[in-house]
Amino acid sequence: MLRLFPATRLGLPLFSSILASLFLVLCLPPAACDGLGTKFLVLERAVPVRGAVELEALKARDRARHGRLLGGVVDFPVDGSSSPFSVGLYFTRVRLGNPPKEFYVQIDTGSDILWVTCNPCNGCPTSSGLNIPLEFFDPGMSSTSSLITCADQRCSYAFQTSDAFCVASATQSNLCGYRFQYGDGSGTLGYYVSDTMYFDTIIATDQTVNTSASVIFGCSNSQSGDLTKPDRAVDGIFGFGQHEFSVISQLSSLGMAPKVFSHCLKGSNGGGGILVIGEIVEPGIVYTPLVQSQPHYNLNLQGIAVNGQVLPIDSSVFATSTTQGTIVDSGTTLVYLAEQAYDPFVNAVSIFLFSAPYNVVKGNQCFVAPGSVDEIFPSVTLYFEDNAAMVLQPRDYLLQEGSENSIMWCIGWQKIQGQGMTILGGGMLHGYSLSLKNFFFADLVLKDKIVVYDLARQRIGWTNYDCSLPVNVTTSSGKNDVVNAGQLRMSGSPHDAIYRWMTMGFLVFLVHSFLFFFFCFL
């Protein structure tokens, strides 16, 4: 297993510098060390380069080697937060095309497809209130890009959902198109392309390999609703669902990543966290099976307890069907609970706080809490199949209202009349697909927890965790090393940057000196 830290990586530059140092020392002319008793090693190419054919052979050899790096962990940087009053979403960045361009995309386990804004695009924002640069992907400007047509066999996977259709463009007909609509009414329209995706694979202590794969993703040329607003604008959405077109399914089918991913989303004001394709194996993780034959991450929720007392809710309320059930979705901001479960839950919390003054703010029941919220409000426990319990603290179901002198805590879980779906979410603004008519049980729940989506064994696990701390991640190689997990920084102190460069420079100097004296004096 690997040890992941939510910190900036120095491993790859240092590793590259070591290789460069070794190359320079081994290639020194004999005169450089005359009289020092130097022993020289003769290096020969395994595959001589004499032209394009040999170059392709080298590239094929490298690709074969990269394929053997399956034991690595694919690491994505994370930023954003769960607070609906600030960012209200978590996002990462991906590199696509040749030459590669970086795109900031929302993390969403409630949808399947990776899509980014393309050029041209109707209604797409050009600036973001998140202080990130927005980009437009142009398939015509990438040397490795190809459009997916309806005649392409791969398009048949898209047609397994109601979101795919054939579309004619100005230059080509019968492109494999898509149309997605989210729970807040926003939507995107576009077509599928195939191009190179670049990502960082961590294979050992501070060793990161730049890996690439050809993946299919969406090219959005029309957006509507909140997707057009610049205040929380990003370049697209990164769907981590189980569909054949999801990136995790594609990388798994290519043999480049395990079919399991994990995240740990920080709930503090700073936000951020860890997102990896790999299995976090910290002690205390409990697992519950996924409901089979479902297009999303459905779980069997069996009951809810407030302060240890199980609520009188009929278990049939949580049974999975086409109109009800419980879904894990990192892509929702507010919290919604099934109608038949919501009232018993609110009543239980209110009875526990019978002596605390309360009022209703914008339809939410709120309480004045002058002391510690953890001492005043009860804990809540969700019980799932296989005796898997999710213990929630008051801050996991409460939202703060008011100023420092008059603080109220409002119950953040919401109810939509006539709805029967419950969704455990984790932080994307746009929410769930309207076609399912679901309601949301969102990011207040999944923050400050390790969550593991084990698709190979069809289960989901979790445990409460401080997501600013390192985590262990298992790989197929079985290694147990210390590595750095990517942490995207929205802004950084120039002094921090100077310190990092000085530290790296000093380490490189030591490596250069060691290699020089080793080869010249031995």
Side-chain angles (χ1 to χ4, degrees):
M1 64 182 66
L2 301 174
R3 190 70 168 167
L4 292 175
F5 294 88
T8 305
R9 277 185 296 274
L10 291 178
L12 181 59
L14 180 58
F15 183 67
S16 301
S17 298
I18 293 174
L19 292 179
S21 303
L22 181 60
F23 176 80
L24 290 174
V25 172
L26 293 179
C27 293
L28 283 173
C33 294
D34 279 347
L36 297 180
T38 306
K39 298 179 180 179
F40 292 97
L41 300 177
V42 178
L43 301 182
E44 296 181 355
R45 294 183 184 272
V47 183
V49 178
R50 297 191 182 91
V53 175
E54 287 80 1
L55 180 59
E56 288 303 315
L58 282 176
K59 291 166 65 177
R61 185 169 178 266
D62 288 341
R63 285 193 294 269
R65 171 174 171 76
H66 292 166
R68 293 192 294 271
L69 298 176
L70 178 60
V73 174
V74 179
D75 179 26
F76 293 96
V78 177
D79 212 311
S81 75
S82 63
S83 172
F85 305 114
S86 58
V87 178
L89 57 88
Y90 291 92
F91 55 94
T92 185
R93 65 181 178 221
V94 295
R95 289 172 288 165
L96 302 169
N98 186 21
K101 295 179 68 174
E102 282 195 340
F103 298 90
Y104 293 84
V105 288
Q106 298 174 5
I107 302 167
D108 181 20
T109 60
S111 63
D112 298 295
I113 308 302
L114 166 65
W115 65 263
V116 295
T117 301
C118 281
N119 184 29
C121 187
N122 179 33
C124 301
T126 57
S127 62
S128 174
L130 300 177
N131 195 30
I132 58 176
L134 297 184
E135 293 284 354
F136 287 80
F137 181 78
D138 189 343
M141 299 299 293
S142 173
S143 63
T144 51
S145 176
S146 62
L147 304 181
I148 305 298
T149 67
C150 286
D152 193 312
Q153 184 179 4
R154 294 171 294 180
C155 188
S156 61
Y157 295 129
F159 273 90
Q160 294 174 7
T161 71
S162 60
D163 301 315
F165 63 98
C166 289
V167 60
S169 70
T171 58
Q172 277 192 291
S173 61
N174 294 325
L175 291 180
C176 189
Y178 67 85
R179 180 186 291 108
F180 302 133
Q181 192 169 21
Y182 298 95
D184 63 349
S186 62
T188 175
L189 181 72
Y191 54 92
Y192 289 108
V193 299
S194 175
D195 208 338
T196 305
M197 179 179 181
Y198 304 86
F199 43 90
D200 296 327
T201 301
I202 303 174
I203 58 173
T205 303
D206 284 339
Q207 294 184 16
T208 306
V209 175
N210 291 330
T211 315
S212 65
S214 179
V215 299
I216 297 172
F217 56 93
C219 196
S220 173
N221 52 23
S222 179
Q223 294 172 20
S224 62
D226 282 351
L227 286 173
T228 66
K229 298 179 180 179
D231 56 340
R232 292 181 175 91
V234 290
D235 294 314
I237 293 177
F238 197 163
F240 274 84
Q242 303 182 69
H243 190 272
E244 287 85 350
F245 267 17
S246 72
V247 169
I248 186 169
S249 294
Q250 292 186 66
L251 293 182
S252 175
S253 65
L254 292 172
M256 302 194 68
K259 204 167 186 179
V260 54
F261 68 95
S262 313
H263 61 65
C264 195
L265 307 176
K266 290 195 292 185
S268 62
N269 292 335
I274 295 173
L275 171 65
V276 296
I277 298 182
E279 180 183 359
I280 297 179
V281 290
E282 291 296 323
I285 295 180
V286 296
Y287 284 90
T288 188
L290 286 166
V291 179
Q292 297 300 303
S293 303
Q294 297 295 319
H296 307 286
Y297 296 121
N298 286 70
L299 303 179
N300 282 318
L301 177 63
Q302 298 178 332
I304 302 176
V306 174
N307 200 39
Q309 298 296 315
V310 178
L311 302 181
I313 303 172
D314 193 313
S315 59
S316 64
V317 171
F318 304 119
T320 300
S321 69
T322 56
T323 59
Q324 67 180 44
T326 302
I327 297 174
V328 175
D329 173 26
S330 67
T332 310
T333 302
L334 295 180
V335 176
Y336 294 79
L337 188 61
E339 181 180 4
Q340 293 173 278
Y342 180 80
D343 290 337
F345 165 72
V346 173
N347 291 338
V349 174
S350 301
I351 292 173
F352 189 85
L353 299 169
F354 68 94
S355 61
Y358 75 92
N359 54 27
V360 177
V361 178
K362 299 179 181 179
N364 299 323
Q365 191 141 324
C366 302
F367 302 86
V368 177
S372 170
V373 64
D374 293 323
E375 296 176 358
I376 297 175
F377 289 87
S379 63
V380 173
T381 304
L382 307 179
Y383 294 103
F384 296 87
E385 184 180 351
D386 283 358
N387 298 316
M390 179 181 289
V391 180
L392 306 174
Q393 300 306 314
R395 293 178 187 272
D396 294 330
Y397 64 86
L398 296 173
L399 293 175
Q400 183 177 333
E401 292 277 357
S403 62
E404 292 294 329
N405 297 326
S406 179
I407 296 179
M408 289 188 299
W409 291 93
C410 302
I411 295 178
W413 295 1
Q414 305 290 303
K415 173 180 66 173
I416 296 181
Q417 298 291 339
Q419 304 277 347
M421 299 293 292
T422 297
I423 298 179
L424 308 177
M428 188 187 78
L429 182 65
H430 303 295
Y432 211 69
S433 170
L434 270 179
S435 61
L436 294 178
K437 296 187 172 78
N438 294 328
F439 62 90
F440 316 118
F441 179 9
D443 58 355
L444 293 180
V445 175
L446 295 188
K447 66 180 176 63
D448 299 320
K449 289 177 180 61
I450 291 170
V451 183
V452 180
Y453 303 76
D454 188 345
L455 307 186
R457 287 178 279 188
Q458 287 292 287
R459 63 179 187 169
I460 288 183
W462 60 80
T463 187
N464 293 331
Y465 200 75
D466 181 352
C467 297
S468 63
L469 298 177
V471 295
N472 288 320
V473 178
T474 292
T475 69
S476 61
S477 63
K479 293 182 179 179
N480 185 10
D481 298 309
V482 179
V483 298
N484 291 322
Q487 177 66 33
L488 180 64
R489 297 179 183 271
M490 293 293 295
S491 60
S493 166
H495 298 288
D496 293 339
I498 292 173
Y499 173 78
R500 288 195 298 271
W501 280 106
M502 289 179 63
T503 302
M504 185 168 61
F506 179 69
L507 291 174
V508 171
F509 170 77
L510 291 179
V511 172
H512 276 248
S513 301
F514 171 77
L515 291 174
F516 178 81
F517 284 103
F518 179 82
F519 283 99
C520 286
F521 287 94
L522 293 182

